[in-house]
Amino acid sequence: MSNVAQFVQVKNIDIKQLASQLVSYLRNTKGTSLKQYVSYGIPTLVLYLLCQGRLRYSRARYLEKKYPYTRDTFWRMTDYDAWEIQKSILQLEFPFISLKALQFALFRTYGIPTISSLLARTTQFSDTATSFKRYADTAVLIGEFMAFEPSSLRTHEAIARTKFLHMGYRQSGKILEDDMLYTLSLFALEPIRFIETYEWRKLTDLEKCAIGTYWKSLGDALEISYEKLPSGTKEGPSKFRDGLHWLKEISVWSQAYEITNMKPSAANKEVADKTTDVLVFTLPQFLEPVGIAFVSFIMDDRLRKAMMYDPPNKMYNTIFTFILQTRKYFLRHLALPRPFFMRHDVFTEEPDEHGQNFIKIWEAVPYYVKPTLWNRWGPASWLKRLSGLPLPGDEGDKFHPGGYQTASIGPRYFEGKGISQMEETKAILRKGRTGGCPF
């Protein structure tokens, strides 16, 4: 990455010389007047804004330089390169909005009655007693195969566990293959839509291609059929040119699928209400209606109608729009890029001596979070205490403070099951999912 000293001539101002003058001045500030502070404060602000303007797009330029793919060579993008580019988006460039987009992608699937009715019957998301655990387990599985490289054991285990948990439902027809493809489409498309709508810059074609390449490859690993897409085939290799082509086709199909299948349903609302309870759990009780209004604000008309939610009133619309636009302006014109040491790194890299993994960042309920001194008594923990939120280690083993093994993730009735099936899947992935090009 370039640093300030390298930006010698920006907008006809010698930044290096100006910075040197400011440092020299700050060493001799005793007895200076307010007028002098102002006279040097303005150049300092100008210097900051110039540096900020130059640095703000540095990561996008860095990715373009490190991965010199062009529109004509996107078809050669490897799964590993796609994963690295997407990881930069998730951890450094747009971590907050990317996380919310992935959460909302899962939420959006509940607008399809065939999906929500199954969840309502299993009570995993329709019962508050299990909804937080189900939410945490889903986040672990999706997060693990996004956080670790495609050929890693952690990723293979997360994919294998996901396949096993869906296997019986897919074989019995309780989960439709079209619903699997639709869910996959949302995890690829919603982060792009959220970033394009709410973030300080648009994604580059390189970044979009990486997202398409990554999720196309993941769909292959999960054995999701693309035969409903124009370039997909029931048997044999597909005819997608690259990640952008795959994104375009699955976007068109996903929109058409929603038009046909996203309809109002009592099951939709039941599951949506319980999920909304999870999303607004951290808010004080008097702010919960505001949180629910914000969830409705983020929905489009089709989803809102399917969930049987009322649209937010004009006042909320104005407030939410102002907040999001202000955030976008601040990040674009005033904020510096997130440094690497502040990356949004959710999982511990290595298991502990007992083979357990842990989550390092959590929002509402601390499932799989180690009750360290920092997690229980650090600055952030006091805010959670004051808000009445649970901390790691509270209520005994309820939140699994001892961590997790991927093979045990899922509802209680799946604990200890699926080991042999997972080993078979991992053996296949070791041969086929090595980080190469999925096209």
Side-chain angles (χ1 to χ4, degrees):
M1 293 292 180
S2 299
N3 55 40
V4 175
Q6 291 175 303
F7 306 139
V8 179
Q9 294 290 336
V10 179
K11 296 185 179 180
N12 298 319
I13 295 177
D14 190 330
I15 294 179
K16 186 175 181 181
Q17 182 180 356
L18 179 56
S20 177
Q21 291 173 349
L22 289 172
V23 170
S24 176
Y25 170 74
L26 291 172
R27 289 173 178 170
N28 301 279
T29 55
K30 292 183 179 180
T32 53
S33 66
L34 177 60
K35 184 177 180 180
Q36 288 174 303
Y37 276 116
V38 172
S39 66
Y40 278 89
I42 293 175
T44 302
L45 177 61
V46 170
L47 173 64
Y48 174 83
L49 293 177
L50 288 171
C51 293
Q52 188 273 346
R54 177 64 178 173
L55 289 169
R56 202 65 188 99
Y57 288 87
S58 59
R59 188 162 286 122
R61 292 194 298 270
Y62 170 76
L63 291 176
E64 296 277 356
K65 184 177 180 180
K66 183 177 180 181
Y67 307 99
Y69 296 104
T70 66
R71 188 63 185 86
D72 293 331
T73 61
F74 278 156
W75 62 272
R76 292 191 296 197
M77 182 180 288
T78 65
D79 197 15
Y80 183 85
D81 285 351
W83 167 77
E84 277 202 326
I85 294 168
Q86 180 176 251
K87 190 175 182 180
S88 176
I89 295 170
L90 294 172
Q91 291 193 344
L92 292 165
E93 200 75 334
F94 311 113
F96 177 77
I97 289 298
S98 295
L99 175 61
K100 296 306 172 188
L102 291 169
Q103 292 172 339
F104 199 78
L106 190 63
F107 184 83
R108 192 175 187 88
T109 64
Y110 310 150
I112 306 294
T114 51
I115 297 175
S116 62
S117 59
L118 175 61
L119 288 170
R121 288 199 300 272
T122 62
T123 73
Q124 289 303 300
F125 261 153
S126 60
D127 183 355
T128 304
T130 57
S131 58
F132 283 100
K133 173 68 162 50
R134 172 64 159 77
Y135 185 84
D137 287 348
T138 303
V140 165
L141 291 176
I142 295 172
E144 283 229 340
F145 54 64
M146 296 180 74
F148 299 96
E149 64 178 86
S151 60
S152 69
L153 177 61
R154 292 281 288 270
T155 294
H156 289 175
E157 285 186 335
I159 293 173
R161 188 61 177 174
T162 301
K163 283 189 68 176
F164 169 72
L165 292 176
H166 289 90
M167 183 187 300
Y169 296 111
R170 292 175 74 177
Q171 290 175 347
S172 66
K174 292 179 180 179
I175 293 181
L176 305 178
E177 289 305 306
D178 282 358
D179 285 345
M180 291 292 294
L181 181 59
Y182 174 67
T183 302
L184 179 75
S185 77
L186 292 184
F187 283 115
L189 296 171
E190 287 299 281
I192 296 175
R193 183 174 73 85
F194 267 60
I195 290 169
E196 302 275 284
T197 304
Y198 303 117
E199 274 294 357
W200 57 272
R201 72 166 174 88
K202 306 294 185 182
L203 289 169
T204 64
D205 282 348
L206 176 73
E207 291 167 326
K208 291 178 183 177
C209 183
I211 292 172
T213 300
Y214 173 84
W215 286 99
K216 191 271 181 187
S217 173
L218 187 70
D220 292 337
L222 291 171
E223 296 186 85
I224 296 175
S225 173
Y226 296 133
E227 63 177 295
K228 293 296 179 70
L229 306 184
S231 297
T233 55
K234 191 170 185 178
E235 296 179 359
S238 60
K239 300 177 182 178
F240 301 108
R241 291 192 300 276
D242 51 41
L244 286 180
H245 182 208
W246 181 85
L247 276 177
K248 182 177 180 180
E249 287 199 4
I250 203 168
S251 176
V252 172
W253 179 87
S254 184
Q255 286 292 317
Y257 192 69
E258 279 192 0
I259 291 171
T260 303
N261 296 280
M262 187 173 277
K263 305 295 183 182
S265 162
N268 293 357
K269 181 166 176 56
E270 179 184 359
V271 178
D273 284 347
K274 296 302 180 183
T275 307
T276 300
D277 289 343
V278 174
L279 297 176
V280 303
F281 182 74
T282 57
L283 296 176
Q285 189 171 2
F286 73 94
L287 285 179
E288 286 183 4
V290 180
I292 294 171
F294 184 74
V295 172
S296 179
F297 170 81
I298 295 297
M299 298 184 201
D300 57 80
D301 289 338
R302 182 188 301 143
L303 179 61
R304 194 181 296 116
K305 182 178 179 181
M307 298 296 200
M308 303 169 69
Y309 272 45
D310 294 326
N313 60 42
K314 290 183 178 180
M315 182 185 71
Y316 279 141
N317 267 323
T318 301
I319 293 172
F320 297 148
T321 300
F322 174 78
I323 291 172
L324 291 170
Q325 288 299 319
T326 301
R327 176 185 180 274
K328 181 189 295 189
Y329 184 89
F330 173 81
L331 291 175
R332 167 62 187 88
H333 297 287
L334 296 174
L336 292 171
R338 180 184 292 261
F340 185 76
F341 74 89
M342 292 181 64
R343 66 192 182 280
H344 194 81
D345 195 7
V346 178
F347 302 98
T348 52
E349 285 288 332
E350 301 292 338
D352 67 4
E353 63 274 16
H354 305 294
Q356 300 291 104
N357 300 305
F358 296 89
I359 290 176
K360 296 191 293 185
I361 300 173
W362 76 99
E363 290 187 347
V365 177
Y367 273 103
Y368 310 123
V369 181
K370 198 169 187 175
T372 62
L373 185 66
W374 178 263
N375 286 337
R376 286 192 59 81
W377 301 101
S381 69
W382 287 103
L383 294 176
K384 295 182 183 294
R385 288 178 191 277
L386 292 173
S387 301
L389 298 175
L391 292 170
D394 284 356
E395 301 186 52
D397 294 330
K398 179 177 180 179
F399 303 122
H400 299 265
Y404 68 90
Q405 292 180 341
T406 306
S408 65
I409 290 294
R412 181 172 297 178
Y413 47 80
F414 280 123
E415 287 182 7
K417 299 178 181 178
I419 304 302
S420 60
Q421 293 93 328
M422 287 181 62
E423 289 301 320
E424 291 175 6
T425 299
K426 286 193 290 183
I428 295 171
L429 292 173
R430 278 195 296 271
K431 294 179 180 179
R433 189 172 172 81
T434 59
C437 178
F439 297 101

